[in-house]
Amino acid sequence: MGILIEVRFHGRGGQGAVTAADLLAVAGFKDGYYTLSFPMFGAEKRGTPVVSFLRVSDEPIVIRDEVKNPDYVVVMDPSLIDVVDVLAGIKENGMLIVNYPKGADELREKLNTDVKVYTINATKMATEILGRPITNTAMVGALVGATEIIRIESVEEAIMEFFENKEIAEKNVQLVRKAYEYMKEVCG
Amino acid sequence: MRKVVRGFYAIAEAVRLSRPNVIAAYPITPQTEIVENLAEMYANGELGDTEYVTAESEFGAASMVLGASAAGARAFTATSSQGLLLMTEVLYNAAGMRLPIVLVVANRSVSAPLSIWNDIQDSISIRDAGIIQLYVESNQEAHDMIPLAFKVAENRDVLLPFMVCVDGFKLTHAYEPVDLLDQETVDKFLPPYEPVVKLDIEKPAALGCYAPPPYYMEFRVAMEMAMERAREVMLKEFEEWYRLTGRDWGGYVVAENCEDAEVVVVAMGSIVALIREVVKQMRKEGKKVGMLKIRTYRPFPHEEVRKALKNAQKVVVIDRALSIGAEPPLAADVKSALFGLSPEFHSVVMGLGGRDIPREQIEKLINDVLEGKAKPGKRFEGLYEFEEVIP
Amino acid sequence: MSLFGPGHGACPGCGFPIAVRGALEALDGKVIAVNSTGCLEIVSSMYGRNTWGVPYIHSLFENAGAVAAGIETALRALKRDKEAHVVVFAGDGATFDIGIGTLSGMMDRNHNVIYICYDNEAYQNTGNQQSMATPTGAATTTTPAGKVIPGKMGRKKDMISIAVAHGIPYVASASIAFPKDFQRKVKRAAEFEGAKYIQVHAPCVTGWGIDGKLTVEVARLAVETGLYPLVEYENGKLVRVRKIKDRKPVEEYLKLQRRFRHLFKHPKGKEIIEELQRVADENARRYGLDA
Amino acid sequence: MSKMKLYIGASNPAKTSQMKTGDWGTEWAYVDEEKCIACGQCVTFCPEPAVELVEKGGKKVAVVDHDYCKGCWVCYTVCPVEAIRMETKDIYKL
């Protein structure tokens, strides 16, 4: 196999962790990759910690086991840091991207890790643009900004296809772009 | 006390003597008379403290028995054919909940086409549920195995449902002498039920939890372990039964004339008695034939089967059920027990939907195999020539 | 130890825990709980995370009525029937649809069981598929609001009448918006020997498309519009109803919920709203709801 | 890893109180003890339950247990004297 990038998303039921992975699967496909996204199936209710996965490769993806050693971990809700082992199995040169208002330094110290940690206040961004603290598209933008695994234009196209309501779609495009730009700047 | 009775009465009487707390009933041919007999006993006040309740369906009857068992009761029901299939979801559930309910299956073919007559397709179809399955060859054996079923199921090393499989009509409706047990004997053998867990206001616990991936597999493997332990428990109880009543039904299998046999016939249920007679006769004629009766289909007696068949040059397995698209069920299990040995293997399906199996047919079958006239492999005996017409 | 929760996994603002706890408290925790498969079961009975402070059993989706009947029979046989009330908690899918057979059997044999149906008007555990308790016009995932068909067609099944027709001693409807009334009904039910059926309206925040902020308000409006009449039958006779002062138009109830949102723009929406208003009016007439 | 204990036929007695579901929401309910009249409406309606009436300084008041409060607003909506306010958790504050 050539390239294989594996991502794990942590969110809470109702926040769109599954949609985030799905969006990237479509966007990656637009870029010419083979992609696979899937949730960890369960009986999740609104608010329960949930997990979803994404694989991106330049070859057909046939493996369907849970991602145990992710390249990137995306955490969509700051409170999950205290209840879930978000770093579990992350690759040594992996990256953790968290919706966390208090900044990366504090989080790095809290987690006591050498893994690259980036933060973004996605709750704030989402509330300002969408009027609601739904952070999944912002975190997709953050991941793409930090890693450039997929073109942001493809993500924007995918969003336009995902949301039936055009107004909501456009706001999400705006949000994903803002998070993307922010993260690009942070990561240099 | 020896009495001429119908099979269903012998079964009902053994149930009464086992002092169940709850009986849930729903009629279906040919099981109906079992619950009718129990109903009569109930109406006449002969069931002591037992509560008898009629259900709205077999599904309801099985569910009531499940609930009763969970509440700490010894519980019984009986069914056949479609009724058993309708109970299936509940029975899988009861086994997973480790509830030691006992049921009698008056074996009957399944629909379509509709047939009320005997084969064992019904109970065979739920062999994977985690339920002990014991097939009897006579009404005496059926009568005897009911207290034993309760005792084995309720053993804390087992805690699995127990199904006594009795050929419908052939046994249930046969009128013949049976040595009926007395209460003292049964009481001596079968102690009152002490549930391990029950719905108890003093000790609240949750029964029937749901298990996510980190737990589920362990629960299912635990059932497998319990089924393994049931082997030992059952052997001990078979022996105790013999000591108590003087009736020896054997272990998981009964092997007769197998040591030096060239041909051994393997079967389950009432047909075993006929095969035994034929084998005896042929032995007198100097033919080296033997028979192997399988008593417990689950747990399946792999080692005993292998031991009994290790010298046989030719093995004939008689199935009265199909696994459409694969080998017949008993043949498949016997073959797996023989892995590595390679006797000539004959898988014979006969007697589906009550088709009679005459003595001559068994004789011819064994003779043909003995004389090398029959081609090994799978075949159907007693089948009429027919042409399928798809209009 | 509390009788139910805390720490269960229901969505924030979920309606049925209010009813479950209310019923358990009304009966002083002297309860053996029987639960059909559904939301309540999933949020409360994960292995090792049991939420119940009372003995509890879950078997299948469609057999709670029969399992409860079996338990009740066993308790009688074992002379333990004074120990506790056997109480079923089942959703509307388990009650109106797949489990109506075993429920009917339980009611027909008149087992001494209190059957509580928490009615959230669809299969909410699996994500809002229509049940026979789903009201006309509601959008569910199996009756979506499409360009041609505006949500569920057909009426909500009248389970209350079905229960009454079984000739059981006590039947009532209730709402989580009126917990004291519900608790009184549970206590009243416990005074009767035989089968009792109580149906309690319990909003589902995700399926109905409301916030927890609206759980109680929406449940109250269902009653105050006449769409969910609170009635009480004893030995087949209607003995009490909750009277409504200034009954509100059904729109007030509908407009708060995402599942009815399409009715206000769909070409056939007006017709459906009128139909729902007729249902409310008919309830008012039939039960004498208007104060 | 230590051996898993598998209770055959039954789950343990009530265990969920170990599940601190108070981390689910973005807000928590707080009680203004001055205004609280200890009517118990919030206790009755709380779906968790995460509210109880507690004796404090010679008077009964409602107390919210943030270990279990999912921030659903139900208590807020049923309080007859507006003694409950909802506050965004620090970590979600903008």
Side-chain angles (χ1 to χ4, degrees):
Chain A
M1 196 176 266
I3 311 165
L4 174 67
I5 296 164
E6 298 182 303
V7 189
R8 187 173 67 217
F9 294 85
H10 293 277
R12 286 184 180 278
Q15 284 181 337
V18 178
T19 307
D22 290 353
L23 265 175
L24 287 163
V26 171
F29 176 72
K30 286 177 187 294
D31 282 358
Y33 293 113
Y34 291 93
T35 54
L36 172 73
S37 66
F38 58 103
M40 196 194 269
F41 293 98
E44 277 70 28
K45 304 299 176 193
R46 201 184 262 186
T48 342
V50 296
V51 176
S52 65
F53 306 104
L54 171 74
R55 287 196 171 99
V56 180
S57 176
D58 54 359
E59 285 173 26
I61 300 165
V62 292
I63 50 172
R64 289 171 195 284
D65 60 334
E66 291 161 12
V67 170
K68 288 278 158 36
N69 300 107
D71 298 275
Y72 311 117
V73 173
V74 179
V75 183
M76 303 176 23
D77 187 293
S79 70
L80 288 171
I81 292 295
D82 295 321
V83 286
V84 181
D85 181 8
V86 294
L87 286 167
I90 193 166
K91 291 204 176 102
E92 235 173 83
N93 57 351
M95 189 191 288
L96 178 70
I97 303 162
V98 188
N99 170 20
Y100 200 72
K102 293 181 188 167
D105 292 340
E106 192 182 317
L107 183 58
R108 208 172 290 121
E109 203 172 310
K110 188 180 168 96
L111 292 171
N112 190 21
T113 177
D114 297 329
V115 170
K116 267 183 258 166
V117 176
Y118 295 105
T119 60
I120 176 172
N121 193 341
T123 309
K124 186 172 182 205
M125 251 179 226
T127 309
E128 280 168 4
I129 295 175
L130 303 176
R132 299 180 70 181
I134 300 175
T135 57
N136 59 346
T137 41
M139 292 313 290
V140 165
L143 172 69
V144 173
T147 63
E148 298 279 9
I149 49 172
I150 288 162
R151 290 168 53 246
I152 188 67
E153 291 77 13
S154 303
V155 175
E156 289 171 347
E157 271 178 50
I159 288 175
M160 290 310 287
E161 289 168 18
F162 260 63
F163 294 89
E164 262 178 52
N165 183 317
K166 204 151 177 271
E167 195 190 335
I168 294 176
E170 274 163 4
K171 278 185 177 171
N172 275 287
V173 166
Q174 202 187 326
L175 176 58
V176 85
R177 175 64 78 163
K178 188 168 176 192
Y180 168 79
E181 304 281 354
Y182 172 85
M183 207 42 107
K184 256 181 86 107
E185 206 178 304
V186 170
C187 299
Chain B
M1 186 183 42
R2 182 162 279 244
K3 249 176 107 175
V4 180
V5 296
R6 289 234 189 261
F8 45 71
Y9 177 81
I11 292 163
E13 177 64 1
V15 171
R16 181 185 75 81
L17 293 169
S18 300
R19 300 184 191 274
N21 305 106
V22 174
I23 296 168
Y26 189 81
I28 183 171
T29 304
Q31 170 280 127
T32 303
E33 286 86 346
I34 299 172
V35 295
E36 281 178 355
N37 270 266
L38 288 164
E40 199 175 323
M41 293 171 188
Y42 184 61
N44 289 326
E46 294 163 12
L47 284 186
D49 291 335
T50 304
E51 288 291 337
Y52 176 98
V53 48
T54 53
E56 67 284 355
S57 68
E58 285 92 353
F59 181 83
S63 299
M64 278 198 270
V65 164
L66 182 148
S69 184
R74 176 174 289 164
F76 174 84
T77 188
T79 191
S80 292
S81 185
Q82 308 307 123
L84 183 65
L85 297 188
L86 186 55
M87 283 184 178
T88 303
E89 191 192 6
V90 184
L91 294 178
Y92 266 81
N93 193 249
M97 289 169 79
R98 306 294 294 276
L99 297 172
I101 62 180
V102 168
L103 65 155
V104 165
V105 175
N107 283 114
R108 163 183 155 183
S109 50
V110 301
S111 181
L114 191 139
S115 156
I116 58 167
W117 294 275
N118 167 251
D119 64 33
I120 60 172
Q121 188 72 60
D122 49 0
S123 50
I124 286 284
S125 300
I126 65 159
R127 64 184 181 182
D128 300 332
I131 299 173
I132 296 170
Q133 286 197 2
L134 187 140
Y135 290 76
V136 300
E137 67 169 285
S138 67
N139 281 320
Q140 186 68 60
E141 191 181 5
H143 182 69
D144 284 10
M145 287 303 108
I146 283 161
L148 186 134
F150 281 111
K151 196 170 182 192
V152 171
E154 290 167 5
N155 187 304
R156 55 179 296 130
D157 284 336
V158 180
L159 298 174
L160 290 172
F162 198 122
M163 188 186 281
V164 181
C165 304
V166 186
D167 280 321
F169 291 117
K170 286 181 198 300
L171 292 179
T172 55
H173 287 57
Y175 195 50
E176 60 181 340
V178 174
D179 257 324
L180 296 175
L181 294 157
D182 56 46
Q183 192 65 65
E184 199 190 330
T185 309
V186 175
D187 285 349
K188 209 187 283 174
F189 177 77
L190 179 63
Y193 174 39
E194 299 274 354
V196 176
V197 197
K198 66 177 182 206
L199 294 165
D200 183 357
I201 199 87
E202 299 300 323
K203 274 163 73 184
L207 279 67
C209 57
Y210 90 90
Y215 295 107
Y216 180 86
M217 195 165 161
E218 284 71 18
F219 275 103
R220 302 304 288 188
V221 174
M223 290 169 73
E224 180 92 32
M225 288 155 63
M227 192 60 100
E228 284 304 313
R229 292 195 298 268
R231 292 175 193 274
E232 262 174 65
V233 171
M234 246 188 295
L235 267 195
K236 196 179 129 271
E237 299 305 339
F238 287 152
E239 275 163 30
E240 198 188 328
W241 188 261
Y242 170 53
R243 272 202 300 277
L244 194 68
T245 65
R247 288 194 288 273
D248 183 8
W249 295 107
Y252 317 120
V253 300
V254 179
E256 293 178 11
N257 295 307
C258 287
E259 297 75 20
D260 63 342
E262 203 177 309
V263 176
V264 177
V265 182
V266 187
M268 299 196 295
S270 62
I271 193 183
V272 165
L274 175 59
I275 296 168
R276 180 184 290 114
E277 288 308 305
V278 173
V279 165
K280 265 193 214 160
Q281 181 60 36
M282 292 175 105
R283 275 277 167 182
K284 278 187 199 153
E285 295 162 10
K287 293 176 179 166
K288 288 197 164 175
V289 295
M291 68 140 243
L292 181 67
K293 167 187 177 180
I294 309 278
R295 299 187 67 217
T296 57
Y297 183 57
R298 290 292 180 270
F300 192 78
H302 288 95
E303 280 176 33
E304 290 76 6
V305 168
R306 189 180 175 88
K307 200 169 143 230
L309 297 179
K310 68 176 192 299
N311 298 327
Q313 291 153 34
K314 298 173 182 181
V315 171
V316 181
V317 179
I318 295 180
D319 265 283
R320 291 183 296 135
L322 293 173
S323 174
I324 293 165
E327 261 187 303
L330 185 57
D333 280 320
V334 170
K335 238 186 209 177
S336 85
L338 296 180
F339 185 74
L341 304 176
S342 20
E344 189 177 299
F345 199 89
H346 296 259
S347 165
V348 181
V349 177
M350 60 206 305
L352 299 188
R355 171 108 3 127
D356 198 37
I357 304 175
R359 183 189 179 106
E360 299 72 37
Q361 195 179 5
I362 298 288
E363 281 170 359
K364 183 169 185 309
L365 170 67
I366 303 176
N367 275 324
D368 283 356
V369 172
L370 199 59
E371 292 160 18
K373 284 191 211 156
K375 220 176 101 202
K378 169 175 156 185
R379 63 181 179 275
F380 303 95
E381 290 276 341
L383 191 68
Y384 303 135
E385 256 187 64
F386 74 102
E387 183 190 355
E388 194 185 21
V389 181
I390 296 171
Chain C
M1 187 168 59
S2 79
L3 298 170
F4 181 79
H8 60 69
C11 297
C14 177
F16 67 68
I18 301 168
V20 173
R21 206 156 46 81
L24 295 176
E25 281 169 12
L27 300 171
D28 289 329
K30 273 186 65 176
V31 169
I32 290 176
V34 184
N35 189 193
S36 57
T37 306
C39 249
L40 172 58
E41 172 257 330
I42 283 294
V43 305
S44 69
S45 76
M46 190 201 286
Y47 180 69
R49 287 180 178 179
N50 171 21
T51 296
W52 298 76
V54 298
Y56 166 93
I57 182 170
H58 156 251
S59 171
L60 298 170
F61 196 4
E62 70 279 37
N63 69 352
V67 170
I71 292 166
E72 187 269 340
T73 307
L75 295 183
R76 246 185 306 123
L78 297 165
K79 317 226 175 317
R80 282 169 49 203
D81 49 330
K82 297 284 169 275
E83 207 170 272
H85 303 279
V86 180
V87 181
V88 174
F89 295 97
D92 51 286
T95 303
F96 287 56
D97 298 4
I98 196 168
I100 193 168
T102 56
L103 169 58
S104 177
M106 184 210 97
M107 294 195 291
D108 181 67
R109 292 184 300 268
N110 207 21
H111 287 278
N112 195 22
V113 171
I114 304 174
Y115 189 109
I116 298 174
C117 168
Y118 63 94
D119 180 8
N120 53 27
E121 304 194 320
Y123 295 92
Q124 303 298 6
N125 183 41
T126 46
N128 193 34
Q129 293 82 26
Q130 84 105 27
S131 77
M132 292 178 198
T134 305
T136 313
T140 70
T141 57
T142 47
T143 60
K147 289 192 184 81
V148 182
I149 305 168
K152 162 159 172 170
M153 296 295 100
R155 284 176 72 156
K156 182 183 175 96
K157 186 190 275 184
D158 184 2
M159 266 308 289
I160 293 291
S161 294
I162 292 171
V164 171
H166 276 79
I168 59 175
Y170 186 82
V171 176
S173 55
S175 164
I176 62 100
F178 304 96
K180 296 288 175 224
D181 173 71
F182 169 65
Q183 287 190 319
R184 180 186 61 73
K185 284 168 176 164
V186 172
K187 279 188 190 150
R188 181 71 185 141
E191 290 170 14
F192 291 87
E193 191 75 22
K196 283 82 63 169
Y197 178 79
I198 301 174
Q199 188 175 301
V200 55
H201 201 217
C204 168
V205 285
T206 52
W208 295 14
I210 55 172
D211 277 341
K213 246 177 262 191
L214 286 174
T215 299
V216 178
E217 170 74 0
V218 161
R220 186 183 294 118
L221 279 168
V223 174
E224 290 176 350
T225 52
L227 280 172
Y228 216 93
L230 302 191
V231 302
E232 226 173 333
Y233 287 87
E234 292 181 5
N235 298 313
K237 288 211 172 59
L238 184 65
V239 289
R240 272 177 294 274
V241 297
R242 187 178 187 93
K243 296 275 184 186
I244 308 166
K245 225 191 265 170
D246 305 323
R247 187 153 53 85
K248 299 192 166 87
V250 295
E251 282 94 334
E252 285 200 28
Y253 170 66
L254 305 177
K255 71 183 181 199
L256 299 177
Q257 307 171 54
R258 194 184 54 225
R259 63 175 174 158
F260 293 117
R261 199 170 50 189
H262 60 284
L263 297 180
F264 295 92
K265 356 178 231 220
H266 198 282
K268 291 180 191 155
K270 193 161 167 270
E271 209 179 297
I272 302 277
I273 293 171
E274 281 166 11
E275 170 61 22
L276 286 164
Q277 188 59 57
R278 268 198 298 279
V279 170
D281 294 345
E282 169 63 15
N283 284 337
R285 192 198 56 75
R286 181 173 167 197
Y287 296 115
L289 296 179
D290 293 318
Chain D
M1 210 168 82
S2 64
K3 262 194 188 173
M4 182 193 296
K5 287 249 195 303
L6 210 64
Y7 289 84
I8 293 308
S11 190
N12 289 334
K15 269 278 183 81
T16 35
S17 54
Q18 296 172 6
M19 261 181 85
K20 304 278 162 87
T21 43
D23 68 44
W24 283 26
T26 54
E27 293 158 317
W28 271 324
Y30 291 83
V31 179
D32 183 335
E33 291 174 4
E34 293 290 306
K35 284 191 194 163
C36 177
I37 54 168
C39 67
Q41 283 290 86
C42 49
V43 180
T44 306
F45 276 97
C46 175
E48 299 314 319
V51 197
E52 45 179 5
L53 294 180
V54 174
E55 188 83 38
K56 260 191 183 178
K59 95 173 229 199
K60 275 206 161 174
V61 290
V63 172
V64 182
D65 187 342
H66 288 169
D67 275 352
Y68 305 108
C69 172
K70 291 177 187 156
C72 72
W73 289 66
V74 165
C75 57
Y76 172 91
T77 61
V78 298
C79 179
V81 292
E82 293 178 16
I84 292 176
R85 67 179 192 283
M86 301 303 295
E87 251 184 45
T88 303
K89 291 175 191 172
D90 276 349
I91 196 135
Y92 293 105
K93 278 199 177 133
L94 304 179

